[in-house]
Amino acid sequence: MAQSILKAARVIRSKNSGPYELTLDIIFKNKRYYDLFRRRGIVTKKSIAALYRRPVKDVLKLLYFEPATALKITLRRPIPSGHPGETDIYGAQQHAPLLRITY
Amino acid sequence: MRKREDEFRVLSTTAILGYGFPQASFEAGLRRRPHLIAVDAGSTDPGPYYLGAGKSFTNRDAVKRDLRFMLKAGIARGIPVVIGSAGGSGARPHVDWCEAIVREIAREEKLKFRMAVVYADVDKRRVRAHLRKGEIVPLACVPPLDEETLDASINIVAQMGVEPLLQALDTGCDVVLAGRCYDPAVFAAPAIRRGFDPGLALHMGKILECAAIAATPGSGADCAMGTLKKDSFILEALNPKRKFTKASTAAHTLYEKSDPTHLPGPGGEIDLTDCTFTELPGGRVEVRGSRHVDSERYYVKLEGVRRAGFRTISVAGTRDPIMIASIDPILKAVEAQVRDILKAEKIAGRVCFHVYGRDGVMGALEPETEIRGHELGLVIEAVAPTERESESLCSLTRSTLLHYGYPGRISTAGNLAFPFSPSDVKMGEVFEFSLYHLMPVKDQGIFKIRTVRI
């Protein structure tokens, strides 16, 4: 049975990294979950692209950071922060699709 | 005396000047006899408007309250007070705004001191000269700069590194009020001046610029203390409710950055590849191994905006299930109809719909395609070159949508519920980022320093 990422993650958040990029942090509850996700490659650029309905090339970075037992993903913003038509100046509410991840 | 030089203690008051801090935390910080009281006042996070309009995104009374504590304590004890990215965006109008507040406090509290004001504004001619030599580098996802964009840009600033702040401190001033700064620079510069390692000083600054956000529970409205030593630094909270943990500190390294191990700044980057975090008793964390690596050429980051026009908005809701079921084609048809009228009237405007309940929050990134709610919130956003045109555009879109006869409509009295009369709100000028590029600098002459006796 697939488990929800909520079982493995302590923090799932999004934020601007400058006005042109969005950055997503998944901080795992412990090193065990961190290692599991890393080893099994549960999250990929391709899966993130699908979750956010963007081309894979818009997923700029996907990297693991052990000191924080975290996975970081950076996306190109479809519209830069604050430009006409943009919806989330701080980029702080773009994390929800990550809650669909299962393992 | 010798011992005092072995470490350098920095009191960071709040994540952004004007966010506030508990007086008890501030006093606990003062009891630790800091060598520096510093604060970062700015960010591009609230969007391009504030840089363009020359306004602060923080409240004047709140900024004055925070500054009053800092100036009074610093001047009475002979501790330098350094403020970075004054006024939020750190261009000349923002710095002037903050200087007026400093002078007001000095008058009210009868404080006498010397202050260095460091400007971060960059002359367009300088940018153009580098642009023509092909030396302006766009950051990730930013379009390359062209002369037309540069011409349209206003309030161009460069993020200063530690060097102009060192020059300002060398004038012997008690207070340094700086324009746009690399956030960690105000915390690091005075320590680097005392001979501490730049990698550790900047990494400590990177954490302290958010004050107690990196503690747990985190808060941007509480003080934090950093103690820099020869080959490490120690972070501690000043409120018994919080502590720094290995996890909270390491997690903060990720915050708002696209790469946690390589943090670029003016003239180089902080390399955290070999960085370690160790918990110490008393809710403290010791960090080791942060290194500063100079880049081959010294680059600063430029920030600038241009005016995109004026904005008028209208807020409305719809409760009709037939309309909700075909909201996309309806909005598309309304937009097309409005666009035709605009063309005939020769108005160069554009309209966007923010549909709350569908993709109002995520726009193009929204993966959910099904609408599950029984009502939708709509915000009509009309942007046009003049205020009058934006009002016309908003009004036209609002009335067209209100009475639009979509296929299957049975509620023929009107499609929208307006919570407000008047229904349309003028939002004023709209700006967008135009410059977010790197520019090489040979010396620090672009950052002008003025010293004043207050």
Side-chain angles (χ1 to χ4, degrees):
Chain A
M1 244 275 288
Q3 302 277 352
S4 159
I5 192 160
L6 288 172
K7 198 175 164 226
R10 182 166 61 80
V11 172
I12 296 180
R13 67 185 177 194
S14 68
K15 190 80 189 357
N16 291 344
S17 171
Y20 294 84
E21 291 171 293
L22 270 176
T23 189
L24 311 165
D25 297 340
I26 301 173
I27 305 177
F28 295 99
K29 284 178 180 163
N30 55 44
K31 181 119 185 333
R32 190 166 63 84
Y33 286 120
Y34 169 85
D35 285 337
L36 177 79
F37 269 69
R38 182 173 196 167
R39 202 178 55 240
R40 283 181 37 199
I42 290 161
V43 183
T44 61
K45 282 192 174 180
K46 210 174 147 199
S47 70
I48 293 296
L51 275 178
Y52 283 85
R53 300 203 306 161
R54 306 307 295 169
V56 177
K57 68 173 171 48
D58 282 7
V59 185
L60 304 169
K61 273 183 188 165
L62 188 146
L63 48 95
Y64 286 86
F65 184 58
E66 191 168 326
T69 60
L71 168 59
K72 178 173 267 301
I73 302 144
T74 303
L75 298 176
R76 174 196 291 266
R77 260 177 171 278
I79 304 176
S81 168
H83 288 213
E86 204 270 313
T87 58
D88 186 1
I89 304 281
Y90 291 87
Q93 278 297 305
Q94 306 300 312
H95 61 290
L98 298 177
L99 304 175
R100 294 180 172 187
I101 296 171
T102 56
Y103 66 97
Chain B
M1 281 308 282
R2 179 73 185 86
K3 193 162 188 339
R4 194 178 155 84
E5 294 303 318
D6 285 348
E7 59 180 47
F8 189 85
R9 294 180 295 276
V10 182
L11 172 56
S12 166
T13 49
T14 182
I16 300 257
L17 185 64
Y19 277 16
F21 47 83
Q23 198 176 335
S25 300
F26 183 63
E27 282 165 2
L30 291 177
R31 283 198 293 277
R32 308 277 287 104
R33 295 186 300 114
H35 301 92
L36 168 71
I37 302 173
V39 71
D40 167 45
S43 179
T44 54
D45 245 23
Y49 173 79
Y50 302 95
L51 179 57
K55 289 180 183 162
S56 168
F57 61 87
T58 45
N59 173 270
R60 192 182 196 279
D61 292 339
V63 168
K64 190 173 172 184
R65 180 249 174 219
D66 288 359
L67 267 182
R68 188 191 299 275
F69 277 110
M70 296 172 65
L71 291 172
K72 272 174 77 175
I75 287 153
R77 290 167 178 78
I79 307 167
V81 176
V82 184
I83 302 144
S85 299
S89 302
R92 184 174 280 264
H94 306 93
V95 176
D96 292 347
W97 177 84
C98 200
E99 183 179 340
I101 299 174
V102 170
R103 286 179 182 273
E104 216 171 272
I105 296 166
R107 242 188 343 265
E108 289 166 11
E109 300 291 341
K110 300 190 172 46
L111 300 175
K112 289 210 184 315
F113 54 90
R114 272 162 51 81
M115 177 164 78
V117 183
V118 193
Y119 292 101
D121 305 77
V122 179
D123 195 312
K124 242 178 237 184
R125 281 171 302 186
R126 182 182 287 265
V127 183
R128 196 182 313 277
H130 287 292
L131 180 60
R132 288 184 178 167
K133 282 195 266 176
E135 295 177 331
I136 300 291
V137 184
L139 284 157
C141 308
V142 182
L145 186 63
D146 55 46
E147 295 215 24
E148 195 189 331
T149 305
L150 179 62
D151 287 335
S153 296
I154 45 179
N155 286 342
I156 302 169
V157 290
Q159 280 196 4
M160 69 180 83
V162 295
E163 295 83 356
L165 298 168
L166 294 176
Q167 283 176 33
L169 290 162
D170 284 341
T171 63
C173 283
D174 311 283
V175 176
V176 178
L177 181 66
R180 188 65 172 127
C181 273
Y182 175 47
D183 294 352
V186 288
F187 303 91
I192 292 171
R193 190 160 169 260
R194 295 269 189 101
F196 288 88
D197 178 76
L200 291 167
L202 284 164
H203 188 200
M204 185 171 93
K206 147 84 185 125
I207 297 169
L208 287 182
E209 64 104 347
C210 288
I213 286 181
T216 184
S219 169
D222 204 345
C223 312
M225 178 71 103
T227 301
L228 187 57
K229 300 184 175 229
K230 194 169 162 287
D231 49 15
S232 74
F233 65 88
I234 295 169
L235 299 158
E236 64 187 296
L238 294 162
N239 186 332
K241 278 193 254 172
R242 315 181 194 289
K243 58 182 182 175
F244 278 86
T245 66
K246 188 182 160 181
S248 76
T249 312
H252 183 74
T253 304
L254 297 175
Y255 189 59
E256 296 181 332
K257 294 280 172 270
S258 43
D259 183 336
T261 46
H262 299 275
L263 307 173
E269 65 167 33
I270 319 173
D271 182 344
L272 303 182
T273 318
D274 301 320
C275 182
T276 61
F277 301 85
T278 314
E279 281 181 21
L280 302 181
R284 296 174 303 151
V285 165
E286 184 162 29
V287 184
R288 288 175 190 277
S290 333
R291 291 186 308 131
H292 188 264
V293 183
D294 289 341
S295 51
E296 212 166 290
R297 229 175 154 182
Y298 194 110
Y299 282 95
V300 288
K301 178 160 78 178
L302 300 175
E303 292 167 358
V305 299
R306 67 175 155 206
R307 196 160 78 190
F310 288 80
R311 180 187 275 142
T312 304
I313 64 164
S314 185
V315 178
T318 171
R319 180 64 182 78
D320 186 297
I322 302 167
M323 177 162 169
I324 290 173
S326 49
I327 190 73
D328 278 325
I330 292 170
L331 295 179
K332 212 172 244 176
V334 167
E335 205 213 319
Q337 201 168 313
V338 169
R339 210 184 311 125
D340 285 348
I341 297 171
L342 286 182
K343 222 173 176 179
E345 301 274 326
K346 295 193 169 55
I347 296 176
R350 53 181 164 154
V351 65
C352 304
F353 297 101
H354 298 260
V355 186
Y356 288 94
R358 190 197 60 187
D359 62 356
V361 172
M362 296 196 56
L365 295 177
E366 179 57 64
E368 188 69 66
T369 48
E370 194 188 337
I371 296 171
R372 293 216 176 88
H374 58 282
E375 62 181 24
L376 285 179
L378 294 169
V379 178
I380 299 167
E381 177 186 9
V383 177
T386 67
E387 182 143 76
R388 204 164 148 189
E389 287 165 333
S390 82
E391 284 178 82
S392 305
L393 177 54
C394 185
S395 167
L396 176 66
T397 310
R398 186 237 313 133
S399 56
T400 306
L401 182 58
L402 176 61
H403 298 295
Y404 184 71
Y406 56 85
R409 179 167 80 148
I410 58 167
S411 65
T412 54
N415 302 323
L416 300 172
F418 295 101
F420 311 121
S421 171
S423 61
D424 302 356
V425 193
K426 285 191 273 185
M427 298 279 285
E429 293 173 286
V430 185
F431 295 92
E432 53 187 31
F433 286 106
S434 54
L435 267 150
Y436 205 69
H437 297 74
L438 299 176
M439 181 179 81
V441 293
K442 269 210 185 75
D443 54 60
Q444 300 287 326
I446 56 168
F447 301 104
K448 302 278 182 268
I449 302 174
R450 172 167 64 86
T451 57
V452 288
R453 200 174 279 280
I454 291 179

